[in-house]
Amino acid sequence: MEIGFFQLFTDPIFRAPMIGSLLISLAMGVVGVILFIRRRLLIGEALSHAVYPGIVVSAMVAALFFSFPGEDEGLFVLVGAFLSALAGLFFLDFLERKMRMYSDAALCFMLSLFFGVGVLLVSRIQLTHAAWYKQVQVFLYGQAATLDDRHLLPLGILSIVCIVVVALLYRLIQWASFDRQYIQGRGGKVKVLDALLNLLLLLSLSIGMRTVGVVLLAGMLIAPAVAARFWTKHLSSFFILSGLFGLVSGGIGNYLSINLPLWMGLPQFALPTGPTILLTASVLAFVSMLCAPKKGLFRRTIRFISFRYQIQKENLLKQLWKAGEEKSWGYTKLVSFIPASAWLRFYLFCHLRVQGWIEKKGKKYGLTTDGARRAARIVRLHRLWEVYLVECLGQQKEKAHHNAEEMEHIITPELERELTRILKDPDQDPHHQPIPKV
Amino acid sequence: MSLYWGKQFFEFFALLWVRFIQALRGDVVTLASDEVQVLVLVGVAISASLVGTFLVLKRMTMLANSLSHTILIGLVIAFVLSLSHANGGHFGLNLKILMIASVVTALLTVFFTDFLERVIKLPKDASIGLVFTTLFALGVTLVTLFARNSHLEVEAVMGNVDALHAHDVKLMAYVAGFNLVVTLLFYKEYKVTAFSPSFSATIGISPFLFNFLLMIQTAGTAIGAFRAVGVLLVLAFLVMPPLAARFLTHHLGRLIWVSAGIGILASLLAVAMSRHILTVYAIPVSTAGLVVCFLGALYFISYLSKLTFRAFWP
């Protein structure tokens, strides 16, 4: 039986997992941005594994007090995970500072040691406390489905705390990430802020493991931030978008994990929630990096190609102008001015005609007055730039040409006015060629 | 009932020694389960130290970490390929499948990470992190779909030494042999790319090519070892012994052998200790977890021994 998207918010069984995943993914998305801009994502990854022994130990402690899991063990596990990740952070610092380990090796060392201790401890309770063992293994891959209304309150509050702290510290995070000296100059303590941000990371890791699981925790910090990075330049919208991407992937991932097996006609397969949420976030990230309006790969490629095309077009105009403003050529002769494939030559030719820069003169083709003016401007920019390079920057005459070949396509009208003013509107370039006036 | 049933820590070593002598004489017909564990772990230790030393020196351990996650995809591929070879639902690996899986995994990981870093221009940490978490999530999802009955899901991450069979020894021996041959063949190339990538590029040894070869070796080691220690704890074998050995020697060749020695020592101690705990306290504990703890302990012991040496022979 398929469950509708909005039914997930009202149904008493699905309500808690849905709202829980939404809030937690939102918080992790927001915290991930801090790690992204500070290049500390891999620390998040290493610490996410360090959470594991804490879960096991807290389950062992909880087993002393409660005979059966499922009552109030949530808080125990949360605290245990937090403390063990904190220990991981200190251990990391110890390895790097005292043992002088490479930072990447230190991350791996800490990660595998902590996870190994976790594996050792969990094997201890495997047979003696089977129910608890099962409970602990849930955290390995995450299981949002077992969340209920009682868990929702602490998890929800902590997620909101994460977001509120980020909002309150927004200015400080901005300064600390881009200009650390500024904070020190104002008498602030960067170390205190760093410690606070680390605590925030640990908090988000300990609440996140419930839905995505220990082994995939890092992904929920990384993927929304990567996705958001391609849509904005501003830090504030970076935070908001990343949180939004987290939120969306939490919602869609949860929805898919329940419904996808049903659609595929395999109701006996339970699609794990954590991986599905993460995969949704990753899909969002990949789509963003390909299709985002300004920074996406497609858009960047199109911009690159159209720039190359514009250069070819302007070069053709320039060559025609140099060969003789008033002259006219047959098609074959005309397109032979540019080194390009036959198709591109034909396309360029058509384009120039449509734009009205080339016209038919008798049986042949020549520049229109408009085309000639454009071509003259390009040559003018080229020669102005050569003068500028030689006179103002003291470059050798022979070297100036190559640089000007590229700059002639980039110089804007404002820059041209400025160059004319500085150089006092010269008549000749360094190679004694006349500079056309427009 | 295993031959080692009821043995304590030192009795274990005594019996192991006796069995070793018998094996040299040719009297041993079948391997006891503890011996299988020891042999597989020794194989893992040797392979991992051959690969791990260079990983640590080239500062590629985070990529190895990434690979240890993405290997799950390789395992799924291996699993699907080996379905036809499966004997009675048991998940078996053969050499061809193992090679395909490790090459594919290394290729996927390295290609995507490089693509994100160079073409999309993401920072290095973000590209590594995004690729391995995505591939790992994909792996977990596929594992739950394909291999629900074979406990691959938890065992792939945690490892299960007790499930090892005699043919795992053979497989691990192949992996170790492969790593040994590759390292011996390309020792000079690895050395030069590790210490001066730009110099190696000028004399025509491509650092990219040999980094990729190293990644294939890492993937092979991880796939070979995952049944014993799980994909995540392979990382401990790769990283910890070379780091410990660095306290003891500064010579590259010796570094490899010392780290192999440390790995082997930790494996022996772990199997013996696991047997000891089972005998005395009647609690089965994870040998893989114990190995990692011993590796960590050996790291700090070698640090202390370096300090002591310094104190007495300044």
Side-chain angles (χ1 to χ4, degrees):
Chain A
M1 184 192 65
E2 191 186 318
I3 293 117
F5 189 73
F6 293 103
Q7 210 180 330
L8 285 175
F9 289 94
T10 51
D11 191 287
I13 300 170
F14 295 111
R15 189 176 56 200
M18 187 65 180
I19 297 175
S21 324
L22 283 179
L23 282 175
I24 290 166
S25 313
L26 173 68
M28 294 200 77
V30 170
V31 174
V33 173
I34 302 175
L35 298 184
F36 186 95
I37 53 179
R38 312 187 93 191
R39 303 272 190 278
R40 287 164 70 88
L41 285 172
L42 292 180
I43 294 182
E45 137 73 6
L47 286 178
S48 70
H49 289 68
V51 162
Y52 190 61
I55 299 172
V56 184
V57 170
S58 54
M60 287 163 103
V61 173
L64 296 177
F65 295 106
F66 309 106
S67 56
F68 201 73
E71 296 299 317
D72 296 302
E73 92 290 349
L75 212 60
F76 264 101
V77 172
L78 214 61
V79 172
F82 185 83
L83 289 179
S84 124
L86 191 64
L89 198 62
F90 279 116
F91 188 60
L92 207 55
D93 198 54
F94 166 76
L95 287 180
E96 275 187 53
R97 294 259 171 85
K98 288 270 152 54
M99 310 304 269
R100 309 248 178 85
M101 215 182 255
Y102 303 140
S103 56
D104 66 319
L107 286 178
C108 289
F109 191 99
M110 190 278 280
L111 182 162
S112 46
L113 185 63
F114 272 62
F115 201 75
V117 171
V119 169
L120 179 64
L121 290 176
V122 86
S123 66
R124 166 71 184 77
I125 60 169
Q126 186 168 9
L127 292 185
T128 47
H129 304 77
W132 287 98
Y133 173 76
K134 240 180 149 177
Q135 188 66 24
V136 167
Q137 295 311 67
V138 159
F139 286 100
L140 214 49
Y141 293 111
Q143 205 174 63
T146 54
L147 283 175
D148 60 30
D149 293 352
R150 276 173 307 152
H151 298 117
L152 206 54
L153 197 66
L155 288 181
I157 290 175
L158 287 176
S159 322
I160 292 169
V161 164
C162 278
I163 297 162
V164 169
V165 169
V166 170
L168 288 178
L169 291 180
Y170 174 70
R171 280 280 163 226
L172 286 174
I173 293 171
Q174 196 177 22
W175 293 335
S177 310
F178 300 110
D179 192 357
R180 294 173 76 80
Q181 267 126 34
Y182 183 67
I183 291 192
Q184 283 160 342
R186 287 174 61 120
K189 292 208 166 50
V190 187
K191 278 193 175 170
V192 177
L193 184 67
D194 281 349
L196 211 56
L197 293 182
N198 279 335
L199 287 184
L200 203 61
L201 166 64
L202 301 184
L203 191 62
S204 71
L205 289 177
S206 9
I207 57 175
M209 70 199 180
R210 185 67 204 227
T211 45
V212 262
V214 169
V215 284
L216 289 171
L217 212 43
M220 280 315 288
L221 292 170
I222 300 172
V226 168
R229 182 70 191 89
F230 287 89
W231 296 86
T232 177
K233 275 192 231 165
H234 300 285
L235 189 62
S236 52
S237 42
F238 191 6
F239 273 114
I240 294 169
L241 275 176
S242 176
L244 214 62
F245 278 120
L247 194 74
V248 168
S249 45
I252 295 181
N254 206 342
Y255 177 65
L256 287 182
S257 77
I258 293 168
N259 282 325
L260 205 59
L262 300 175
W263 294 338
M264 285 171 14
L266 303 162
Q268 70 274 28
F269 287 127
L271 210 56
T273 323
T276 321
I277 292 179
L278 180 56
L279 280 178
T280 316
S282 301
V283 168
L284 284 178
F286 281 106
V287 169
S288 305
M289 66 179 68
L290 294 181
C291 307
K294 274 187 185 153
K295 296 182 182 168
L297 183 64
F298 292 155
R299 187 63 219 177
R300 260 177 34 213
T301 316
I302 290 171
R303 208 160 49 220
F304 176 74
I305 292 172
S306 62
F307 180 61
R308 293 291 297 258
Y309 177 71
Q310 190 206 339
I311 289 178
Q312 291 282 16
K313 204 170 68 181
E314 293 186 351
N315 279 348
L316 178 57
L317 275 181
K318 191 176 69 177
Q319 297 299 344
L320 292 177
W321 187 83
K322 278 185 181 168
E325 228 174 308
E326 306 296 329
K327 276 190 195 163
S328 52
W329 305 268
Y331 172 76
T332 345
K333 183 81 182 89
L334 189 143
V335 294
S336 71
F337 280 108
I338 42 162
S341 68
W343 284 108
L344 184 60
R345 281 169 168 175
F346 180 68
Y347 189 75
L348 272 170
F349 171 76
C350 294
H351 198 157
L352 289 182
R353 277 212 69 178
V354 170
Q355 297 232 344
W357 296 340
I358 293 181
E359 63 183 355
K360 215 164 186 178
K361 291 178 175 172
K363 279 194 170 178
K364 293 178 172 179
Y365 300 96
L367 287 171
T368 61
T369 36
D370 194 22
R373 201 179 321 126
R374 280 197 90 85
R377 180 170 175 267
I378 296 160
V379 175
R380 176 180 163 79
L381 292 179
H382 179 103
R383 292 181 181 166
L384 268 179
W385 189 252
E386 282 182 337
V387 175
Y388 177 70
L389 281 179
V390 172
E391 288 189 0
C392 295
L393 301 184
Q395 211 174 37
Q396 289 171 347
K397 275 185 208 172
E398 297 76 26
K399 286 183 180 168
H401 176 75
H402 283 290
N403 190 268
E405 273 296 276
E406 287 170 11
M407 284 303 288
E408 66 189 18
H409 306 290
I410 303 168
I411 293 173
T412 56
E414 296 82 41
L415 202 56
E416 183 194 346
R417 267 203 302 281
E418 199 63 11
L419 278 175
T420 319
R421 192 181 60 79
I422 293 172
L423 303 171
K424 302 190 183 68
D425 202 6
D427 296 318
Q428 276 193 336
D429 75 352
H431 311 292
H432 306 296
Q433 302 276 347
I435 294 178
K437 312 278 182 207
V438 178
Chain B
M1 184 74 69
S2 166
L3 204 61
Y4 290 82
W5 188 260
K7 294 283 180 241
Q8 292 195 1
F9 191 69
F10 292 107
E11 293 169 356
F12 174 88
F13 282 111
L15 184 57
L16 190 68
W17 179 249
V18 171
R19 291 276 291 172
F20 181 64
I21 301 292
Q22 282 178 354
L24 288 186
R25 284 208 205 107
D27 292 345
V28 175
V29 183
T30 51
L31 290 168
S33 74
D34 288 48
E35 287 158 3
V36 170
Q37 294 173 15
V38 166
L39 287 174
V40 169
L41 287 177
V42 164
V44 175
I46 292 174
S47 306
S49 65
L50 287 168
V51 179
T53 307
F54 291 108
L55 286 174
V56 169
L57 290 177
K58 290 183 175 191
R59 314 208 179 169
M60 285 163 67
T61 48
M62 244 16 231
L63 212 53
N65 173 33
S66 158
L67 205 61
S68 74
H69 286 78
T70 55
I71 209 73
L72 205 59
I73 288 272
L75 290 175
V76 172
I77 295 169
F79 181 78
V80 172
L81 287 177
S82 68
L83 274 181
S84 51
H85 304 264
N87 36 358
H90 174 69
F91 172 50
L93 276 172
N94 70 29
L95 205 59
K96 199 177 80 188
I97 291 169
L98 186 134
M99 278 177 71
I100 296 171
S102 48
V103 169
V104 168
T105 318
L107 207 64
L108 274 178
T109 315
V110 173
F111 171 76
F112 275 122
T113 312
D114 237 39
F115 176 77
L116 291 192
E117 207 183 326
R118 295 203 185 162
V119 182
I120 307 282
K121 302 210 164 56
L122 274 180
K124 195 181 175 79
D125 61 336
S127 36
I128 291 181
L130 187 64
V131 168
F132 86 74
T133 47
T134 307
L135 288 179
F136 193 67
L138 205 61
V140 172
T141 315
L142 290 177
V143 161
T144 43
L145 285 183
F146 285 120
R148 287 188 69 77
N149 303 325
S150 62
H151 290 282
L152 203 58
E153 193 181 343
V154 170
E155 255 177 37
V157 176
M158 316 263 290
N160 187 359
V161 182
D162 300 318
L164 291 175
H165 291 272
H167 63 79
D168 287 311
V169 177
K170 212 166 104 187
L171 190 74
M172 205 55 233
Y174 282 133
V175 173
F178 167 73
N179 281 328
L180 196 63
V181 168
V182 171
T183 310
L184 282 179
L185 273 179
F186 299 115
Y187 183 71
K188 187 187 71 190
E189 280 83 356
Y190 272 151
K191 197 173 177 176
V192 90
T193 49
F195 290 105
S196 180
S198 45
F199 174 66
S200 73
T202 52
I203 59 171
I205 297 171
S206 155
F208 181 79
L209 191 71
F210 284 96
N211 287 355
F212 184 64
L213 188 62
L214 194 62
M215 283 288 109
I216 291 180
Q217 279 186 284
T218 314
T221 309
I223 290 195
F226 98 98
R227 277 173 56 82
V229 290
V231 287
L232 283 183
L233 297 184
V234 178
L235 195 63
F237 265 112
L238 286 171
V239 177
M240 287 177 167
L243 286 172
R246 268 176 68 87
F247 288 128
L248 304 176
T249 175
H250 289 295
H251 181 264
L252 181 61
R254 261 175 259 150
L255 195 62
I256 294 175
W257 293 119
V258 171
S259 62
I262 290 172
I264 292 170
L265 183 62
S267 323
L268 282 173
L269 287 174
V271 177
M273 185 55 98
S274 148
R275 174 57 72 189
H276 178 78
I277 292 175
L278 185 62
T279 306
V280 178
Y281 305 103
I283 302 166
V285 292
S286 155
T287 313
L290 273 176
V291 177
V292 178
C293 294
F294 274 116
L295 283 174
L298 285 174
Y299 173 81
F300 287 104
I301 289 171
S302 36
Y303 176 66
L304 289 179
S305 70
K306 182 197 168 192
L307 288 188
T308 350
F309 272 121
R310 234 196 234 155
F312 290 109
W313 290 281

